[in-house]
Amino acid sequence: MTVRETVHGRVLVVHMEREAKRNAIDREMAEGISAALDRLDDDDQLWVGVITGTESVFSAGTDLAGGGSAATERGGEYGLIRRQRMKPLIAAVEGPALGGGFEIVLACDLVVASTTARFALPETRRGVVATSGALFRAVRALPPPIAKQLLITGAGLSAERAHHFGVVNTVTEPGTAVREALVLAEDICLSSPIAVRQTLAALADQYVSADEIGWAATAHAIEVVAHSEDMREGVRAFFERRPPQWTGR
């Protein structure tokens, strides 16, 4: 089992636990995340969710060696990215959140990160593009020049810099991200759950059209890249642990 659930009062914590693979998400983990978030959505006794990794890593995104789709019918990519949620979800980040791991963070409502956290979108270094929302959510969460830098270079953000730009709500000491996320979740639970859900729904409604445009643009970028020599070279180089030799074709 690569996904574990714990309940703290009215808060469900979803633990991604595949540390040997840097919590890279394969089909099994995506289904586990999706089942946990289905529980959060459907259980009236649960008001807030927290998603976290292990103490050394949040998630390295898609498991390129895993094969198959890491998407679910109800949640989309990773069981989370396209989910129509009404209950707040907090990302509690220790260690790297890379590629799809950062896209999980961008899909959450609030973020708590320890000083060990690092956020990056290294897809272009592998000849691919960000496929799980970062092509439009990064620009919402960050100043456009910073978002573009992350998306087209190997640059990353520390927890402190991510907090400076407003991506992270709270920066914590190492090993305390989940604890502080639970404090934040309990604070949310002091509000009316109906009022919280309707507030989040109203905010989400404002992005419906923009999301449709963003997903269409992402699909086009994926299609173009998927037929390129650079993508094949990038994936080969990744598995062969060598620098890629780009051709621009």
Side-chain angles (χ1 to χ4, degrees), residues 9-10 15 29 39 49 64 66 71 89 103-104 133 154 162 168 171 182 191 197 217 221 226 246:
R10 294 192 179 275
H15 305 262
M29 181 175 276
R39 178 184 179 187
L64 295 178
L89 184 62
E103 289 176 298
I104 288 174
V168 170
V171 178
L182 287 170
S191 297
R197 291 168 203 169
W246 305 123

Side-chain angles (χ1 to χ4, degrees), residues 16 23 33 50 57 59 68 74 78 94 106 125 131 137 154 175 188 190 199 213 219 221 231:
M16 299 181 288
N23 293 332
I33 293 170
V50 175
V57 59
S59 175
R74 189 164 168 182
Y78 311 141
E94 302 273 357
L106 291 171
R125 286 290 203 263
T131 62
R137 286 177 177 154
I188 295 170
L190 296 177
T199 296
I213 294 170
M231 190 199 82

